[in-house]
Amino acid sequence: MNKYAKYLLIGGMITAFAFAAGCGGDDKKKEEPKKPATTNTQKQTDTKKTTTNNTAKPAGKLASGPNWVYPAYIKNASETPKMTPEIQKIVDDCYKQMKLHPSANGKLLNDSKISPSDQRKVRDLWFHARGANYNRDIKFKDTKGKDRCQEEMFHIRFIVDKDTSAIKSYKFTKYERNKTVPDGKETVFANKKF
């Protein structure tokens, strides 16, 4: 990978983590709890009133898998590519080879969202999580003199058919940067095309 692709990859990971951590600029105000009536003589005239929540409900069922979750900014199942049993089996197989960071809570992040303007005949699915060796407290400089921290990220990327959700290809990788590999390195565990 050339250096610009690495910077793009790192920028994408930072953005994904910012959204997953809730730093996406979602400025919703919390509703204050309603105070109970102070007198027993008040009559409730409107018993059919229901409270409404300002958040939009998903149009489709948005369920997580056994070893992955959707980020908070994906609200609707129609915004994501379809998860098939074949995709889930590959994710399960890859997951068995990973040792995740405690902040991942034992789950990968399914950061797969369909852009409304995407007219391609394929869809992308992207699962990622921090590895156990990720540590912001370990600082060092890369070969260009930039300050870095120790990183380890696991990625599973799928390309599937838009209509049938059949897998076209998938790639399972680990990206790491540490004192022994200051400029980072990508290890490919699987790269298959169908």
Side-chain angles (χ1 to χ4, degrees):
M1 277 175 41
N2 64 25
K3 67 178 183 179
Y4 298 111
K6 286 182 185 177
Y7 293 137
L8 262 166
L9 177 66
I10 292 169
M13 289 187 298
I14 290 170
T15 304
F17 283 124
F19 278 119
C23 301
D26 196 2
D27 296 333
K28 294 181 183 171
K29 293 182 179 177
K30 292 182 181 179
E31 293 180 0
E32 293 183 18
K34 294 184 179 180
K35 295 179 183 178
T38 56
T39 62
N40 291 335
T41 57
Q42 286 182 326
K43 291 182 181 178
Q44 283 199 323
T45 56
D46 212 3
T47 57
K48 292 184 181 179
K49 269 191 181 177
T50 58
T51 59
T52 58
N53 194 352
N54 290 339
T55 59
K57 293 185 179 181
K61 186 177 181 185
L62 191 62
S64 297
N67 47 25
W68 56 270
V69 294
Y70 286 107
Y73 70 89
I74 295 180
K75 305 282 187 210
N76 189 328
S78 66
E79 297 174 353
T80 64
K82 182 180 175 188
M83 276 296 292
T84 64
E86 294 81 19
I87 295 171
Q88 184 61 54
K89 182 183 181 320
I90 292 172
V91 171
D92 290 341
D93 292 343
C94 295
Y95 182 81
K96 291 174 187 173
Q97 300 177 42
M98 299 179 195
K99 187 173 179 186
L100 300 182
H101 192 269
S103 67
N105 295 324
K107 301 268 186 173
L108 295 164
L109 195 62
N110 181 350
D111 211 354
S112 311
K113 187 166 181 172
I114 299 171
S115 171
S117 62
D118 192 356
Q119 300 299 319
R120 299 178 303 151
K121 295 184 187 281
V122 294
R123 295 286 183 245
D124 301 313
L125 279 92
W126 179 35
F127 298 84
H128 58 92
R130 291 178 178 169
N133 293 327
Y134 184 92
N135 190 338
R136 282 188 161 174
D137 296 331
I138 299 175
K139 305 278 185 188
F140 56 92
K141 293 195 181 285
D142 64 9
T143 57
K144 296 177 184 174
K146 291 186 179 180
D147 290 329
R148 301 290 184 182
C149 67
Q150 182 169 300
E151 298 177 49
E152 182 181 44
M153 294 291 297
F154 290 99
H155 301 275
I156 310 170
R157 293 185 181 270
F158 290 90
I159 296 177
V160 298
D161 185 84
K162 175 183 176 180
D163 300 322
T164 65
S165 293
I167 302 171
K168 301 269 188 190
S169 68
Y170 81 93
K171 187 175 185 180
F172 172 38
T173 61
K174 175 176 80 169
Y175 177 80
E176 57 187 327
R177 180 194 311 258
N178 51 42
K179 290 180 181 178
T180 57
V181 187
D183 290 329
K185 147 182 121 167
E186 181 180 61
T187 306
V188 179
F189 297 111
N191 189 8
K192 296 187 179 181
K193 294 184 180 182
F194 300 96

